[in-house]
Amino acid sequence: MEQAKQIDVKKLKVSKKVFNPGPARSRTGNVINFLFLCLVGFFMVFPLIFIVSNAFKPMDELFMFPQKMLVRNPTLSNFTSISILMSSSWVPFSRYIFNTLFVTIVATFFHILLASLAAYVLEKREFPGRNFMSQIIVLSLMFTPAVTGIPNYIIQSKLGMIDTYWVLIIPYIGSSMGLYLMKQFMSSSIPNTLLEAARIDGASELRIFTRIVMPLVKPAWLTMLMTSVQSMWGMTGNTVIFSEAKKPLNYALSQIGTGGVARQGAAAAVTLIMIIPPLLVFILSQSRILDTMASSGIKE
Amino acid sequence: MATLTKANRKEIKRQDRKLLKKSFKRNWDCYVYMAPYGIIFFAFTVLPVLASIVLSFTYYNILEAPTFIGLDNYRSLLATDDVFITALKNTLMIAVITGPVGYLMSIMFAWFINELSPKVRAVMVTIMYAPSISGGAYAIWKLMFSNDSYGWANSLLLSVGIISEPIQFLTDVNWMIWIAIIITIWMSLGTGFLSNVAGFRTIDRSQYEAGYVEGIRNRWQELWFITLPSMRPQLMFSAVMSITQAFTVGDVTTQLFGIPSTDYAAHTILNHITDYGTTRFEMGYACAIATVLFAMMVACNQIIQRMLRKVGQ
């Protein structure tokens, strides 16, 4: 009898490690839930495993029948072939890296600064036009760059921005997702009384913004940092950039992938290189991002 | 209210205007702080939508000034452009399947994940979210579904003996749209999914305790009566995300099937816009297509938001 009890306690401990304990939970339900998630998780990572494996496959394994999913004799030849392909182009490889870094850093910095400033005013001050602006921002979440591509191209070409770095940078600064998340996060994490107290003490609005608000919304601007790095890193700009010297890294690399069957391995290696940085940033900042997302809901 | 005289109403209006003026004056600095972001936002997000509506009534090829042609663009869209009708069908087909499926997945998986302990949860969230941040990773599906026997899917089916000849996944009109749908679903757990995960996490636990006292017996009742109603804001946000994703499939089809795809079998509205905008430079026409897309998305959003207000009732 006593032994049986002990075992039960042990089992309970194990299940507590994997599951969130709570009433109204049956163990079978928990197990089914976990197995189901593993199955779905497999569907999700399967193509990614395929990329990793292909990136390390030697030529003969890439064209083997039947195809094996996992690599047998891993090699770095696909990665070295990228650098060979890259060194034959007349623009040095470091130039593409500089382009991407420059565009990403400038756009991220100004996006976080200007969108936060606007979010602060929109959330914490009352002025005519505030509600109108807030509603437009929610609506504009749907109008992603993919949808507004053509009319945007017309505007950018009228402004003479085509084929400059600015065409990649400036539109991103004004993207609405970052501002929206920041604004929602401010509404839930900054008490109005704190701001009033600071105003009574005679702090200027800019001072309140830089000294009180920004340190408090760190999770939100880390989230903006992540989404910004993600989208700037993944940007090819292939419809707006034409000179080789201004192309971002992703554009240059994606040209390798279009080289056909013979470059299959190199294409997989390129894809792997493109996936890793955003994924790493996400893994490192996941808990901050989820903190920010907690306030992302649209309030009626 | 009804007893207000005309003079009274005028007086109220005048006072309102006075208050508004005062408020403008008192809060002028708000506009200064808003301006840098606001100008860029208007120029590259709002203006494109407005410009697109205006230009849709014109003939415009960028080089010459636009000429007003009334409803001609819309007329030819509906009456003579068979490819547009195909694109419309394909887009709706993809949207009707991937939108609801992706949306339900983002709620369901977030809910399932919420049942896990924090560490396992973090790993699962990363796995589920990975496809949507991997950007161009869907190019890998091209290898998996490649037309020859070296493609992974063909290779598997051939070696098991289900088929005797490789299936032309990327050029067979019966397969193409389904492959686009699978990939879109694969990528559908994005920002909206994260919002739901966070939403489940923030629900006040004392609500559940109260619920158990009231007689809630299992996780399903808990979900419908407590969980979902208290995360309605997140549900609304992720609905917007799902709609956006479902209607703007275009990159995937370009990458896998090219423009134009075989028999336009996977041609979407977004592909049609790109086709007219960047290769034919018929901007007016491209803008008319874009306007139709905007209208569809906004209308769909209105309907979904109205439905979501009924959750838990």
Side-chain angles (χ1 to χ4, degrees):
Chain A
M1 213 28 209
E2 227 178 326
Q3 224 181 358
K5 242 184 193 170
Q6 267 180 347
I7 291 168
D8 230 353
V9 169
K10 236 185 198 172
K11 265 188 189 163
L12 206 74
K13 265 187 190 160
V14 171
S15 75
K16 259 191 185 170
K17 261 183 202 160
V18 185
F19 299 105
N20 212 353
R25 296 287 181 275
S26 68
R27 180 166 305 157
T28 15
N30 276 342
V31 171
I32 293 174
N33 173 24
F34 187 65
L35 289 180
F36 178 74
L37 279 178
C38 288
L39 201 73
V40 176
F42 180 72
F43 172 68
M44 289 297 177
V45 279
F46 178 69
L48 301 176
I49 295 173
F50 199 70
I51 294 172
V52 177
S53 164
N54 263 21
F56 290 103
K57 273 183 187 170
M59 207 43 128
D60 57 320
E61 274 186 55
L62 281 170
F63 295 99
M64 201 164 59
F65 181 84
Q67 274 278 310
K68 290 277 173 298
M69 194 178 138
L70 293 177
V71 56
R72 283 180 181 167
N73 305 308
T75 152
L76 287 174
S77 67
N78 291 323
F79 293 90
T80 48
S81 77
I82 296 178
S83 64
I84 292 167
L85 284 168
M86 277 294 170
S87 61
S88 64
S89 116
W90 64 271
V91 175
F93 190 57
S94 55
R95 176 80 195 196
Y96 296 122
I97 295 178
F98 168 79
N99 290 346
T100 292
L101 282 181
F102 177 76
V103 167
T104 306
I105 291 171
V106 175
T108 305
F109 177 77
F110 283 103
H111 175 56
I112 292 180
L113 182 73
L114 299 182
S116 306
L117 197 55
Y120 166 64
V121 179
L122 273 176
E123 185 56 45
K124 295 297 179 190
R125 293 284 299 270
E126 303 242 357
F127 59 94
R130 170 188 174 215
N131 287 337
F132 175 70
M133 187 70 190
S134 303
Q135 276 164 5
I136 284 194
I137 281 170
V138 173
L139 197 63
S140 75
L141 291 175
M142 284 195 291
F143 300 125
T144 54
V147 207
T148 57
I150 293 302
N152 239 331
Y153 179 86
I154 300 172
I155 292 167
Q156 287 158 357
S157 72
K158 289 287 167 215
L159 293 172
M161 285 164 62
I162 299 295
D163 205 25
T164 64
Y165 287 133
W166 305 115
V167 77
L168 300 177
I169 295 172
I170 295 181
Y172 189 78
I173 294 175
S175 70
S176 50
M177 179 62 86
L179 177 128
Y180 175 76
L181 291 177
M182 179 57 98
K183 179 173 161 308
Q184 297 298 92
F185 191 72
M186 281 176 177
S187 96
S188 71
S189 69
I190 298 180
N192 289 334
T193 46
L194 182 68
L195 301 177
E196 269 153 38
R199 273 180 209 130
I200 289 167
D201 284 347
S204 70
E205 282 297 306
L206 265 183
R207 206 178 155 80
I208 294 175
F209 174 72
T210 51
R211 294 292 159 86
I212 299 175
V213 175
M214 281 313 261
L216 280 175
V217 294
K218 200 171 163 201
W221 54 260
L222 275 174
T223 306
M224 287 165 94
L225 187 79
M226 187 217 52
T227 44
S228 162
V229 166
Q230 211 174 290
S231 41
M232 297 312 279
W233 179 258
M235 188 177 283
T236 59
N238 54 7
T239 49
V240 283
I241 299 282
F242 307 111
S243 10
E244 198 61 37
K246 285 175 198 153
K247 285 179 182 174
L249 183 65
N250 195 9
Y251 194 169
L253 288 175
S254 66
Q255 287 170 331
I256 292 180
T258 55
V261 201
R263 290 195 189 157
Q264 226 184 67
V270 163
T271 317
L272 187 61
I273 295 174
M274 294 318 293
I275 293 176
I276 286 175
L279 204 57
L280 266 186
V281 177
F282 177 72
I283 291 171
L284 292 178
S285 50
Q286 199 199 87
S287 65
R288 307 286 186 137
I289 292 169
L290 286 180
D291 283 346
T292 313
M293 288 296 171
S295 57
S296 65
I298 298 174
K299 302 203 178 77
E300 292 158 81
Chain B
M1 281 301 269
T3 52
L4 281 179
T5 59
K6 226 180 189 177
N8 263 339
R9 241 179 254 165
K10 243 184 199 166
E11 178 60 23
I12 289 173
K13 252 189 191 166
R14 214 172 54 88
Q15 294 236 327
D16 273 357
R17 221 170 287 146
K18 234 185 191 172
L19 275 174
L20 196 69
K21 235 184 198 171
K22 230 183 187 175
S23 181
F24 264 124
K25 257 186 195 161
R26 200 164 355 101
N27 295 306
W28 64 272
D29 57 326
C30 289
Y31 301 98
V32 178
Y33 296 136
M34 275 289 301
Y37 174 87
I39 290 168
I40 297 173
F41 171 73
F42 265 96
F44 299 104
T45 306
V46 179
L47 191 61
V49 177
L50 300 178
S52 165
I53 296 170
V54 173
L55 288 174
S56 72
F57 299 108
T58 65
Y59 172 83
Y60 184 37
N61 56 13
I62 282 216
L63 299 173
E64 301 161 65
T67 45
F68 183 76
I69 53 169
L71 285 171
D72 278 6
N73 283 330
Y74 291 100
R75 220 169 277 146
S76 47
L77 258 186
L78 294 173
T80 53
D81 191 347
D82 291 339
V83 179
F84 172 72
I85 303 296
T86 313
L88 186 67
K89 270 187 207 153
N90 288 337
T91 305
L92 284 178
M93 169 106 170
I94 293 174
V96 163
I97 295 175
T98 66
V101 170
Y103 185 52
L104 289 179
M105 268 169 66
S106 78
I107 300 169
M108 246 173 62
F109 295 161
W111 178 45
F112 288 169
I113 281 175
N114 192 50
E115 307 270 297
L116 303 172
S117 71
K119 271 185 193 154
V120 186
R121 184 163 62 197
V123 175
M124 273 297 177
V125 169
T126 310
I127 289 176
M128 303 270 178
Y129 185 59
S132 63
I133 31 173
S134 322
Y138 46 74
I140 205 68
W141 290 85
K142 198 172 183 174
L143 297 182
M144 295 178 62
F145 285 110
S146 118
N147 286 337
D148 49 38
S149 56
Y150 300 117
W152 184 84
N154 271 327
S155 174
L156 184 78
L157 292 173
L158 279 171
S159 57
V160 175
I162 295 177
I163 52 170
S164 55
E165 252 172 49
I167 300 173
Q168 308 289 306
F169 285 113
L170 303 182
T171 42
D172 185 333
V173 290
N174 295 321
W175 279 99
M176 287 156 70
I177 198 157
W178 291 105
I179 289 180
I181 287 172
I182 291 175
I183 298 174
T184 311
I185 290 177
W186 178 65
M187 294 197 305
S188 63
L189 297 179
T191 321
F193 167 68
L194 288 187
S195 171
N196 285 338
V197 170
F200 275 111
R201 225 172 51 154
T202 48
I203 294 167
D204 187 4
R205 304 230 47 109
S206 62
Q207 275 190 51
Y208 291 113
E209 276 144 38
Y212 299 131
V213 175
E214 303 262 318
I216 278 183
R217 264 155 228 288
N218 53 40
R219 39 184 131 195
W220 303 99
Q221 287 182 350
E222 188 185 294
L223 180 73
W224 183 254
F225 290 111
I226 304 176
T227 314
L228 288 184
S230 50
M231 52 183 285
R232 194 173 296 138
Q234 274 89 1
L235 293 181
M236 289 186 153
F237 175 73
S238 56
V240 174
M241 296 293 109
S242 291
I243 292 166
T244 310
Q245 201 173 25
F247 278 100
T248 57
V249 173
D251 269 359
V252 173
T253 52
T254 315
Q255 283 260 356
L256 268 87
F257 318 112
I259 292 187
S261 48
T262 314
D263 284 346
Y264 293 104
H267 200 66
T268 64
I269 292 188
L270 208 61
N271 292 146
H272 209 49
I273 298 175
T274 317
D275 188 13
Y276 277 91
T278 58
T279 46
R280 306 184 201 208
F281 280 98
E282 290 188 29
M283 294 300 184
Y285 197 68
C287 284
I289 309 171
T291 307
V292 172
L293 185 61
F294 294 154
M296 275 164 52
M297 287 168 71
V298 171
C300 182
N301 185 37
Q302 291 298 325
I303 295 168
I304 304 283
Q305 305 289 347
R306 204 160 290 165
M307 277 162 66
L308 281 175
R309 292 206 179 106
K310 300 213 168 108
V311 165
Q313 282 166 8

